[in-house]
Amino acid sequence: MPTLIEALAGVVNATEITPTLVTGGQPGPRHLEALKVAGAQVILDLRDPMEARAFDEPAAVRALGLEYINIPVASGAIDDTLLERILEVARRSAERPMLVHCASGNRVTGPLLAYLMIDRGMDEDAATELAMRMGLRSPEMLEWGVEYARRVIEG
């Protein structure tokens, strides 16, 4: 049986956060099938439903018996409430293995930077370094996750 990260071979910016939480860019149908075999239960899609796609991802995910969750993240429309919704889903990954993705991995990084710092105890530099491997390219995503984590950690 492949691991979750092995199931994402060929997906841009595929990164293993924990053995039950992986991130990346847009997976294809074969990746979704491999994720199912690897034990994934949830696909969290951070893309806007109106973004162009090569296939009907929600239908493909549901046909495999996996849970599909869509929480769109768009530049200029990010806030604490949105980040907290994503964190809530990510925190379930220990019980329900999952993929969190967008088109390239960039939008995944803001919320998961916060997750790494708050929930996994990573320092800011280590979390940022991992976020770069996840596809971080936007200063907005970096600031979103780091600033949120600082506020929570500092209480």
Side-chain angles (χ1 to χ4, degrees):
M1 178 190 308
T3 63
L4 294 177
I5 193 64
E6 290 169 343
L8 293 177
V11 170
V12 68
N13 294 318
T15 305
E16 182 180 83
I17 305 305
T18 70
T20 60
L21 177 60
V22 292
T23 67
Q26 179 65 54
R30 71 177 174 87
H31 299 109
L32 296 174
E33 292 166 7
L35 283 165
K36 168 75 173 179
V37 171
Q41 296 178 17
V42 178
I43 306 298
L44 173 56
D45 179 3
L46 303 184
R47 298 183 70 191
D48 187 289
M50 299 306 292
E51 287 182 51
R53 298 169 197 256
F55 69 105
D56 185 345
E57 181 181 354
V61 169
R62 291 182 184 116
L64 290 167
L66 304 175
E67 181 180 1
Y68 177 82
I69 301 170
N70 181 238
I71 303 175
V73 172
S75 180
I78 55 177
D79 59 21
D80 287 357
T81 301
L82 179 61
L83 193 144
E84 288 162 0
R85 287 179 57 210
I86 297 165
L87 284 178
E88 179 183 330
V89 176
R91 288 174 175 146
R92 296 189 323 217
S93 70
E95 295 85 33
R96 304 193 65 213
M98 73 177 64
L99 164 66
V100 181
H101 81 86
C102 59
S104 68
N106 180 55
R107 287 175 276 183
V108 169
T109 61
L112 289 186
L113 262 164
Y115 173 78
L116 291 168
M117 292 172 65
I118 297 165
D119 294 76
R120 307 296 295 179
M122 285 184 126
D123 67 39
E124 187 175 320
D125 289 339
T128 301
E129 183 179 317
L130 183 52
M132 294 293 287
R133 288 198 314 258
M134 291 165 33
L136 175 64
R137 298 295 177 267
S138 162
E140 181 184 29
M141 292 297 129
L142 174 67
E143 291 172 19
W144 184 33
V146 169
E147 293 300 322
Y148 178 88
R150 286 178 183 159
R151 287 194 318 270
V152 169
I153 291 167
E154 294 170 5

